[in-house]
Amino acid sequence: VEKIESLYNPVQNDRLSFNISCPAAGYIAYALFKMTEKLDLSKAVEFNFTEADNMDIINNVLESDYNLGIVRYPSSQEKYYTNMLEEKKLSMKPIWEFQYRVLMSSSHPLAHKRDISCNDLGSFVEVTHRDMYVPSLQANEMKQTDNFVIINKRIFVSGIGSRFNLISSVPTTFTWDSPVPSELINRYNLVEKSCREAVEKYRDVLIFRSGYQFGKLDKVFLEELKNARNEALHNNCPH
């Protein structure tokens, strides 16, 4: 009873809290999972992990209780995002630059095909999030960056777990993601493929309010994020 009461004690000073808003990405969710394995559950813990689009992520860091955010954008739009974040007085720290990969069930008809093109994917169903793509820019700043995305057959879902469960269960579906750690690949029985048209590079960037001091859990998460990225890079080899 005392342990349960301590979880809801508003004057408790040793509460562990962590708040982040980010895109739906396998390696980010994996880093959070790994961080929770290291928690001291004898203390009160409060997590707030929200998947959102870039503008909501930025607003969450600016106006809500989110200490950290991760925004994802094409490298070609680096100047646009750098200027916008500077105007909003947000600091940024690069995490990763990558090319999107195709994820599908190991039972997918293309699972054993070595060289995949968008034409190959055209007869299958893409599983994605509505917030997966970069929000619209001004007309004179917009560039065509998603030329490899299949748009004629899509299922929109919420949450990275729902997306992975669906492509794992339905072998006629696929999804795009940053490279994924091998533990997730094995857990969902997936394969990861490159696509010849997916040449655009994307960047994940950590954002936070200027002057923000990183807490204990922030530092643990960033270390696990680095580990997840390195594991995904190790797994990111040609198929």
Side-chain angles (χ1 to χ4, degrees), residues 70-212:
I70 297 175
V71 294
R72 171 172 291 184
Y73 53 81
S75 300
S76 59
Q77 295 178 9
E78 174 79 13
K79 183 177 180 180
Y80 171 82
Y81 279 95
T82 298
N83 291 341
M84 178 176 61
L85 293 171
E86 287 179 353
E87 290 175 2
K88 296 179 181 296
K89 295 181 171 55
L90 289 175
S91 298
M92 56 189 297
K93 179 180 179 181
I95 297 174
W96 194 7
E97 184 176 67
F98 60 89
Q99 292 174 318
Y100 269 110
R101 307 279 287 179
V102 184
L103 290 174
M104 60 185 68
S105 166
S106 60
S107 301
H108 194 284
L110 298 177
H112 300 291
K113 185 176 174 63
R114 184 175 182 85
D115 190 20
I116 290 181
S117 70
C118 284
N119 287 334
D120 295 324
L121 297 172
S123 60
F124 299 103
V125 181
E126 179 187 1
V127 180
T128 187
H129 299 258
R130 289 194 181 277
D131 56 23
M132 187 171 176
Y133 302 105
V134 177
S136 297
L137 306 178
Q138 297 298 321
N140 62 342
E141 295 178 288
M142 178 58 75
K143 294 182 179 180
Q144 181 63 36
T145 58
D146 289 322
N147 59 339
F148 63 92
V149 177
I150 306 302
I151 63 173
N152 59 339
K153 297 179 183 179
R154 279 184 179 164
I155 297 175
F156 292 98
V157 298
S158 297
I160 190 69
S162 297
R163 182 152 56 102
F164 280 16
N165 277 323
L166 185 55
I167 64 171
S168 175
S169 302
V170 183
T172 55
T173 61
F174 69 95
T175 193
W176 297 95
D177 201 352
S178 44
V180 175
S182 58
E183 186 172 330
L184 287 184
I185 295 286
N186 296 332
R187 180 184 304 171
Y188 289 96
N189 198 24
L190 304 177
V191 294
E192 183 180 284
K193 301 280 186 177
S194 61
C195 177
R196 70 180 71 155
E197 290 91 350
V199 296
E200 176 75 32
K201 290 187 177 181
Y202 281 74
R203 287 181 180 167
D204 282 354
V205 175
L206 183 74
I207 63 171
F208 46 94
R209 292 180 294 276
S210 296
Y212 173 70

Side-chain angles (χ1 to χ4, degrees), residues 55-69 84-85 87-91 207-210:
M55 296 313 300
D56 283 342
I57 292 168
I58 292 169
N59 289 332
N60 284 340
V61 174
L62 280 173
E63 302 171 4
S64 300
D65 294 329
Y66 293 86
N67 298 323
L68 303 178
M84 178 176 61
L85 293 171
E87 290 175 2
K88 296 179 181 296
K89 295 181 171 55
L90 289 175
S91 298
I207 63 171
F208 46 94
R209 292 180 294 276
S210 296

Side-chain angles (χ1 to χ4, degrees), residues 3 6-7 12 14-17 33-47 216-217 220:
K3 289 182 178 179
S6 70
L7 294 175
Q12 189 169 345
D14 61 349
R15 178 185 296 274
L16 296 175
S17 64
F33 164 70
K34 284 299 187 181
M35 181 178 72
T36 59
E37 291 183 336
K38 297 182 176 180
L39 290 180
D40 180 0
L41 296 181
S42 66
K43 298 181 180 180
V45 178
E46 182 177 288
F47 274 24
K216 178 181 178 180
L217 285 186
V220 173

